[in-house]
Each structure stands twice: as structure tokens, then as C-alpha cells.
Amino acid sequence: MFRVGCMENKTYSLPIKTPDGIIKLEINHTVVNKDDENMSVTISTTIQGAPVSYQTETTEEALILLAKNLPEKWHIKSCISCRFGHFCPVGNYDNELFCVTDFAPKEPRDLWHVTENEIERKNRSRTLFDCCDHYKEQAEDYFTYSDYYYEVTK
């Protein structure tokens, strides 16, 4: 990662589930004016030899656009699409969510203690690009405090 003035650039290896197995897309993630009203996020990669790029206001929005434009039967397999990856009900940073595998929240307020306690927050904080062995796809019948599933499936 490098930071120049008000710009941060980092490369992530994003797991993608395809009919032929898991592949990794190298994603260039650029944030301009982080923590500012004028923040801009750009993600860019190459898919099947074609360059793609999405510029939005948040990393979440950029990854949703990417997910909607992936080839048929390709799916992002990272924290943003995991049923255990929850956003903070009282606000989170861009490119941050919280891994909750030890209990099943039923509503946003069930997540307050894991996002408001500094130790819990530090231990559970993940980027939207991360993925672990606990990964399980979001589903309509399982509460996840995230719009990802609804945005990608609508």
C-alpha cells in the first residue's frame, strides 16, 4: 500500500467462485480523500483479459458493481458476500466490516457489543476483500447486516 497526499492505493487478491473453481482477481483499490465528504473509490482489475474499473463513493458500492458485472456463475467469495460479515449498526469505516461466527445476530442491535467494545472491534474487524475458512454465502433466510445480498440479487 502507498499513500500520497489524500490518496491510498492497495492491491488485494479477491477470491472469486467460478464454475471451474476458485480464482483470485488482483484488484487495485484506490481511495481518494478518505474520511472526507468527497471520498472517491476506484477498483480496477482484468477479467478474462478485459480491463474493468468502477469508481464510486465507497468500496462497498464498487464491489457491488463488480459483482453485478462478473461473468455468469462467477461470485465474489470474501467478507462482503459472507453471511458472517456484518457492517457496524452505528457506522463503520470504508472497507471495514466485522466477522461474527460465534453467534447468529437477529437484528442490528445484536451487533452493538462487537462493534462498540474496542477489543471486540479490533479482533473482528476485516476488510471487504478478506476471506477465511468460516466463509459461508449470504442467504435470504439468514440475517446479515449488509445490503450486499439484496443489491447483487435484485
Side-chain angles (χ1 to χ4, degrees), residues 25 27-28 42-47 49-54 66 69-70:
L25 287 182
I27 304 285
N28 185 37
T42 303
I43 62 170
S44 54
T45 191
T46 301
I47 299 174
V52 296
S53 184
Y54 302 99
L66 173 66
N69 290 287
L70 287 172

Side-chain angles (χ1 to χ4, degrees), residues 102-114:
D102 53 331
F103 71 97
K106 303 290 185 220
E107 58 186 357
R109 72 176 172 185
D110 294 342
L111 298 164
W112 289 348
H113 81 278
V114 300

